[in-house]
Amino acid sequence: MKTGKYMIYSFYNKGTNTYEKEFFLPDDSFQRLMTRLLTIASYKEKGSQIAGVLYVDKESYLNARLTATVEDYIYEDQMEQETRRKYKCGQLDRDVYLDTLKMIQDFKWTCLKKIDMQIRRMVREDFDVENEIALQLYDQYLQAIL
């Protein structure tokens, strides 16, 4: 990764034992600076602390955002498999099962659309896409809509 003005914050919440990432554009305006500071304050108010900060260039920033979207898609895919397993074992009611699958499918489709937009932006700006899974999901999305 190359150094730049784009920021990637990692927050750790000890209470839930989870990490979260936040992406920030360069502080080119007062509004962006205040948005970043208020977001950090919000995380701290909820019990999180800053685990790390990366200052990266635009290409690395866009690749990191793409990777985060892919991670969201993979998580939802795992939740879909888990939901199907629970239903087969009789742990879920049919209505709950169907509603849950609908929500998961909607979010996965949203992730695919985000991946499409992110990859097209990177191609337009002549940046390399470093995430192979993202490229496979992009192909899957294109096949679904064509």
Side-chain angles (χ1 to χ4, degrees):
M1 283 191 192
K2 300 172 189 162
T3 303
K5 294 182 179 183
Y6 292 82
M7 293 160 273
I8 304 171
Y9 277 71
S10 181
F11 294 94
Y12 175 69
N13 188 316
K14 199 174 197 176
T16 60
N17 194 30
T18 57
Y19 285 91
E20 290 187 52
K21 285 184 184 175
E22 276 292 328
F23 300 89
F24 297 102
L25 297 170
D27 292 336
D28 293 341
S29 67
F30 180 72
Q31 181 180 359
R32 282 190 185 167
L33 173 65
M34 292 310 297
T35 300
R36 181 172 61 87
L37 294 177
L38 288 171
T39 302
I40 292 169
S42 174
Y43 271 99
K44 287 182 177 181
E45 192 175 290
K46 294 176 187 173
S48 295
Q49 55 189 345
I50 297 172
V53 181
L54 287 175
Y55 290 89
V56 297
D57 66 334
K58 190 173 186 177
E59 183 175 4
S60 299
Y61 173 84
L62 292 174
N63 269 298
R65 297 235 12 197
L66 179 62
T67 297
T69 305
V70 169
E71 289 170 358
D72 288 344
Y73 181 91
I74 290 170
Y75 175 78
E76 288 301 316
D77 194 57
Q78 291 169 345
M79 289 299 101
E80 180 179 1
Q81 292 171 20
E82 180 68 16
T83 302
R84 290 181 191 278
R85 186 194 61 76
K86 284 182 179 180
Y87 179 69
K88 286 179 183 175
C89 293
Q91 296 174 342
L92 286 179
D93 180 78
R94 184 177 189 275
D95 290 335
V96 172
Y97 170 70
L98 291 174
D99 288 344
T100 303
L101 277 186
K102 286 177 188 176
M103 287 188 291
I104 289 171
Q105 288 293 329
D106 284 347
F107 189 72
K108 283 174 64 177
W109 188 253
T110 299
C111 288
L112 288 174
K113 290 191 291 188
K114 278 178 68 175
I115 289 168
D116 171 57
M117 290 185 290
Q118 290 168 330
I119 287 179
R120 283 189 294 116
R121 180 178 181 192
M122 292 176 72
V123 168
R124 186 175 55 244
E125 298 196 27
D126 201 31
F127 292 147
D128 292 333
V129 177
E130 297 171 359
N131 192 314
E132 290 295 323
I133 297 172
L135 292 172
Q136 292 173 359
L137 290 172
Y138 176 68
D139 287 342
Q140 177 183 332
Y141 174 75
L142 291 179
Q143 287 176 355
I145 64 171
L146 295 178

